[in-house]
Amino acid sequence: MSVRRPERRKSALSSGVASVIAPPPVASEPARVQISAPKAVPETARLSIRVDAELLGQVRAAWWSTAASTGTRSMSAWIIEALEEHLRRSETEFNGGQPFTPLDAGEIPRGPR
């Protein structure tokens, strides 16, 4: 006694060569989608610094302890926020509240002053 398998169902997409060549049926009026301009992503640069091990440990602890309440998702973001805050204070105190003119890495001498 042999059991017969059911016949395979045919797809409307694979009905032969004509389905590949013939264009798909056109809808009466295509929906119009409003596309907004992509958001500008600021260019990022890498910064490597040497920090006292104890200070770095305190930074890690501060970020980890405050991440849930502040919503800061990474230690890098926490450090960037701290740098921006210090920059704003320095602009107010030393530059009349105006932003400092950015300098490229090669514009200032390396090493201690």
Side-chain angles (χ1 to χ4, degrees):
M1 176 167 150
S2 73
V3 178
R4 275 189 63 188
R5 290 180 133 185
E7 278 192 44
R8 293 181 120 188
R9 291 190 282 174
K10 302 277 185 178
S11 169
L13 298 175
S14 64
S15 61
V17 178
S19 67
V20 175
I21 297 171
V26 180
S28 59
E29 179 67 33
R32 299 193 183 262
V33 178
Q34 192 74 354
I35 300 174
S36 60
K39 294 180 181 177
V41 177
E43 183 180 339
T44 60
R46 188 171 200 49
L47 171 67
S48 297
I49 58 172
R50 296 191 184 277
V51 182
D52 180 72
E54 186 173 338
L55 175 61
L56 182 55
Q58 289 177 328
V59 167
R60 275 193 202 103
W63 165 69
W64 187 249
S65 300
T66 62
S69 60
T70 63
T72 306
R73 299 183 63 144
S74 69
M75 193 169 85
S76 292
W78 191 91
I79 292 170
I80 290 168
E81 288 176 12
L83 286 171
E84 288 174 339
E85 185 179 320
H86 187 73
L87 177 61
R88 300 300 162 244
R89 282 196 317 264
S90 294
E91 287 171 345
T92 301
E93 187 175 342
F94 300 107
N95 206 33
Q98 297 300 310
F100 287 104
T101 304
L103 296 175
D104 287 331
E107 293 185 56
I108 56 175
R110 292 187 191 183
R113 296 193 336 157

